[in-house]
Amino acid sequence: MQYFELTFLILFLPLVMLIYQLVGKKKRPFILLIASYIFIYTLSGKLLVYLLLATLCIHHFGIWLDANKKEEKEQIKDLDKEEKKQIKLKYLKQRKGILFLGILILMIMITLTKYMAFIGVNINHLLALFKINLKFKLSNLVAPIGISFYTFSAISYLVDVYRGKIKADNNLFKLALFLAFFPQIMEGPISRYEDTAENLYEGKKITYHNMCFGIQRICYGLLKKLVIADRLNTPVKLIFNGYDKYGGVILLLGAILYTIQLYMDFSGIIDIVIGTGEIFGIKLPENFRQPFFSKNISEFWSRWHITLGTWFKDYIFYPISLSKMSRKITNSLRKKIGNHFGPLVAGTIALGTVWLCNGLWHGAAYHYVFFGFYHFALILMANIFNPAINNFYEICHINPEQFFIKAIRIIKTTIFVIFGELFFRAQSLKIGLVMFKKIFTEFNISSLNWKTLNALKLFNYELIIIGITLLIVFIISIIKEKGINIREKIAKKPIYIRWMIYYALVLYVIIFGAYGGLYIPVEPMYADF
Amino acid sequence: MRNDLLEILENIKPGVDYENLNTLIDEHYLDSLSILSLVAELEDEFDIVIPTVEIIPANFNSVDNMLKLIEKLQEED
């Protein structure tokens, strides 16, 4: 059962909504929790146990951290300043240990299921390098769906309790629902406890407004997913699986189509997820903000998979770049080489770590690691050359925000993203490099003809449907980019216009969605991460 | 305090309308590297320690919010 399947949309979700609405306010969170566990069980079976362990882990360690803080407070009462300092240091050390242990347990679970085989391969490479005749055969345990998402939410909860940003929650059920809420378990967004837990546990009544808005958002997600992403699945598969048969033009086309497909699939699913949350009156964090209007790669990553980016920023980038050692480096360099380049060393170490983790988070394979370092290199180059580029704009009296210049910057960023996605989708780093090379060495524009397109299952009507739907998404994106709340605008229109738009959207998805034997739905790409 | 903060910001990234903007982070006027410089400058200038937990867009989106953060940290000290 997946979010875009009829079993979910016309059976599971309406049934949960009905039971949720019928029971009292206090029982509603439990209905959501039971529904979540049933949903996860249908996907992962007994592997649900990992999620239960993660829940028990953060519940126990959160309380332990809070108890330690309370004990510290008791201990430092009536002490002088120096004694207080000593005691505080002692307790801080203890809390660091507790936090470390909690994160370690969560990391062990994710490592056993995602990274053991990759670790084994690398150990064997190292042993071979030192000519040691020993081989390890490590394999991954079967990974429960969504483990990367809920593990990150779990870690953020523990770190936030440790930092004193939130208080530990004694309510095991609230924590369980925070980690397991069924709409977001498969592909995120990665929520923070302080933003969603209370909201989840409120048990708000389903209102007409929330239901309409939620269903609209779900339909828009289905439009992206079923009409565009799934229609592009066959050509993308044919190109990436048969990369050796195609020249540079088709491989470039494959990379472009895959980028569109990934965006439409992932953001479409997120629309369904957020829409489902909206029905229950739960506001889940946005994960996309028109990423293809970004003028540089840093901006792209602040608009694409936003919750993952902010997670890395809050729990890896700033803790590393603002650690004692980094602060020392930054302070001494700032005095010597100025405010721009001063923080560059500490920033680069932190950035490198973030992108290594980002690559590995997506999967235990070298092409994902390469994908991470590719973006790291692009951001690093921008960090180094930004002052020079800004000076250039100033000397030449160019306004970088002027429409034409902005368009060039957006196109440049999009090209960089497309090449990154080529490595991301390629079956291995080696194949990715071969494909990349072919784009520049075997670029023959005449190979892009109707015969090839038809062989790739890109028939005329496919292209027209995809083109028109992309245009719809593009126009909606422009409106959103201008800060106009299109849904509120529609809600203010007369009832007959409103319902005409809703019906048109639903019919469009039903008529033009990619169903049947000709199409292979896209596997839930992000659910594997 | 306000003028000192404006001077620091102008040194880190000149030419931004700090007085009126309240989306300094959201609209990418200040990037991560600028934040690293800013944190170091603020800690020196106002004798505070800014914990990582306070490095959130809401605290750095406007001059007013930065001043509130500085005052809060000075009081806590």
Side-chain angles (χ1 to χ4, degrees), chain A residues 462-473:
Chain A
E462 291 282 348
L463 290 169
I464 293 168
I465 294 168
I466 292 168
I468 291 173
T469 318
L470 274 177
L471 191 69
I472 295 170
V473 174

Side-chain angles (χ1 to χ4, degrees), chain A residues 28-56:
Chain A
R28 285 183 187 141
F30 295 96
I31 297 299
L32 289 183
L33 184 61
I34 294 164
S36 298
Y37 284 153
I38 292 172
F39 181 79
I40 298 162
Y41 188 79
T42 63
L43 292 164
S44 291
K46 286 175 192 162
L47 299 181
L48 174 66
V49 75
Y50 283 102
L51 176 64
L52 298 176
L53 278 174
T55 309
L56 290 173

Side-chain angles (χ1 to χ4, degrees), chain A residues 6 30 34 69 77 101 115 153 196 255 262 269 271 292 320 330 339 357 401 440 449 456 469 516:
Chain A
L6 288 179
F30 295 96
I34 294 164
K69 270 182 212 165
K77 261 185 198 170
L101 202 61
Y115 301 105
S153 288
T196 46
L262 183 64
I269 293 287
D271 286 327
F292 289 96
I320 294 178
T330 304
N339 266 328
C357 295
E401 293 303 314
F440 295 97
N449 50 46
L456 292 170
T469 318

Side-chain angles (χ1 to χ4, degrees), chain A residues 163 165 289 299 302 313-314 317-319 321-322 327 330-331 334-335 339-340 343-344 346-347 383 386, chain B residues 8 11-13 26-28 31-37 39-41 43-44 49-53 55-56:
Chain A
R163 286 172 173 175
K165 196 177 173 188
R289 198 163 47 85
E299 191 186 348
S302 66
K313 210 172 217 177
D314 291 349
F317 181 82
Y318 284 125
S321 59
L322 290 170
R327 280 178 203 237
T330 304
N331 279 338
R334 266 178 55 237
K335 282 165 196 151
N339 266 328
H340 180 76
L344 201 61
N383 285 343
N386 260 350
Chain B
I8 289 171
N11 273 335
I12 289 171
K13 195 164 183 193
D26 296 343
E27 299 288 326
H28 308 284
D31 58 16
S32 310
L33 291 185
S34 310
I35 291 292
L36 297 188
S37 281
V39 167
E41 284 276 3
E43 290 187 344
D44 279 357
V49 177
I50 304 177
T52 323
V53 67
I55 318 261
I56 49 170

Side-chain angles (χ1 to χ4, degrees), chain A residues 41-42 54 58 184 202 210 226 232 268 280 284 414 454:
Chain A
Y41 188 79
T42 63
I58 63 165
Q184 60 181 138
E202 264 176 291
N210 283 349
L226 295 176
L232 288 175
F280 297 102
L284 295 171
T414 306
N454 287 348

Side-chain angles (χ1 to χ4, degrees), chain B residues 1-40:
Chain B
M1 194 193 273
R2 191 178 188 87
N3 288 341
D4 292 335
L5 176 59
L6 285 170
E7 200 179 314
I8 289 171
L9 288 165
E10 195 59 36
N11 273 335
I12 289 171
K13 195 164 183 193
V16 178
D17 183 11
Y18 291 109
E19 278 285 11
N20 297 311
L21 280 168
N22 55 11
T23 49
L24 293 170
I25 305 293
D26 296 343
E27 299 288 326
H28 308 284
Y29 291 101
L30 294 175
D31 58 16
S32 310
L33 291 185
S34 310
I35 291 292
L36 297 188
S37 281
L38 183 60
V39 167

Side-chain angles (χ1 to χ4, degrees), chain A residues 351-401:
Chain A
L351 198 66
T353 316
V354 162
W355 284 104
L356 175 67
C357 295
N358 187 308
L360 286 172
W361 183 87
H362 284 97
Y366 283 117
H367 62 117
Y368 290 125
V369 177
F370 182 86
F371 169 81
F373 278 107
Y374 169 82
H375 285 278
F376 165 63
L378 289 174
I379 295 172
L380 181 61
M381 300 255 276
N383 285 343
I384 294 170
F385 294 113
N386 260 350
I389 295 166
N390 290 337
N391 279 345
F392 172 78
Y393 284 144
E394 219 172 300
I395 291 165
C396 300
H397 301 291
I398 296 170
N399 176 9
E401 293 303 314

